[in-house]
Amino acid sequence: MRVSLFITCLCDVMASDVGKDTVEILERFGCEIDFPESQTCCGQPAYNSGYVTKAKDSMKQIMKAFKDSEYVVGPSGSCVAMLREYPHLFQDDPEWRDVAQELADKTYELTQFLVDVLKIEDVGATFHGRVTYHRSCHMTRLLGVTEAPYKLLKNVRGLEVIDLPLCEDCCGFGGTFAVKNSTISEQMVMEKTDHIMETGADYVIGGDMGCLMNIGGRLSRDDRPVQTLHITKILNSQ
């Protein structure tokens, strides 16, 4: 099975280990990975800021980059959800409409791909520690991925998963929301970190680097001893 890695901007610039772990996990299950170097931003920041025309330039570049891919897999629910939105955004464009649909149909978030396509719930990982899982808004509400991360985590040897109170609440990141509404965003992430501390977990895990950076920043500023980890770090631990 051929899989193209959709690295996403934050993983490329801020967390390259997430991409490395993603590749190693997929290769462990026989996937042949390629990396189209012409890929760029999915266009979400510009689109969410109202620059639809400029955002579509990035979207078209993404569609060109992955045109020949069999599957496209990314370690981000938010960015993958954006690619799944392309058919709606290009529905009135006869040149790109079908290309957008083809890309959406073959694109998956990593845990979704493992559970729904490869039919794997036990990746053979071992990680000793107490963790709680943050459900990012785009991954759960827009992409509809709710159970796959839990199915994978429950089969990790040595791992204790503790439920996060009010797990459906946003962490306050929301991409440009955190910039445009910083005061409200700060209050939201403070509530989120309070709930994380209530669990007594050593780590908070998520599937979107934006949320993890936001939560990790608040935890660090408040000198709270909880580490943030992308779920790939857990799933690739042996």
Side-chain angles (χ1 to χ4, degrees), residues 100-114:
Q101 188 63 60
E102 289 174 7
L103 177 60
D105 290 345
K106 62 186 179 184
T107 299
Y108 295 86
E109 182 273 335
L110 175 64
T111 64
Q112 180 187 39
F113 185 74
L114 290 168

Side-chain angles (χ1 to χ4, degrees), residues 31 33 40 54 56 76 95 98 129 133 199 216 222 230-231:
C31 295
I33 312 298
T40 183
K54 289 186 177 298
K56 285 188 173 180
S76 165
E95 181 181 357
D98 292 345
Y133 179 76
T199 67
D222 293 340
H230 194 280
I231 192 170

Side-chain angles (χ1 to χ4, degrees), residues 121-142:
E121 295 186 8
D122 185 348
V123 296
T126 298
F127 188 96
H128 295 280
R130 296 179 301 169
V131 306
T132 193
Y133 179 76
H134 166 64
R135 302 176 64 168
S136 59
C137 297
H138 283 190
M139 187 157 165
T140 56
R141 297 188 176 100
L142 298 184

Side-chain angles (χ1 to χ4, degrees), residues 64-101:
K64 291 177 184 175
F66 293 113
K67 187 176 187 306
D68 297 324
S69 300
E70 181 179 357
Y71 288 99
V72 178
V73 176
S76 165
S78 181
C79 300
V80 166
M82 189 68 212
L83 267 60
R84 290 284 190 93
E85 184 67 10
Y86 284 10
H88 169 69
L89 301 175
F90 287 91
Q91 62 181 341
D92 296 323
D93 187 331
E95 181 181 357
W96 292 97
R97 180 176 53 216
D98 292 345
V99 182
Q101 188 63 60

Side-chain angles (χ1 to χ4, degrees), residues 164-165 187-200 218-219 222 224:
L164 180 62
Q187 290 299 311
M188 294 170 74
V189 75
M190 288 174 67
E191 289 184 11
K192 177 62 69 175
T193 53
D194 284 345
H195 294 316
I196 291 169
M197 294 305 297
E198 289 174 21
T199 67
R218 187 73 254 169
L219 290 169
D222 293 340
R224 289 175 157 178

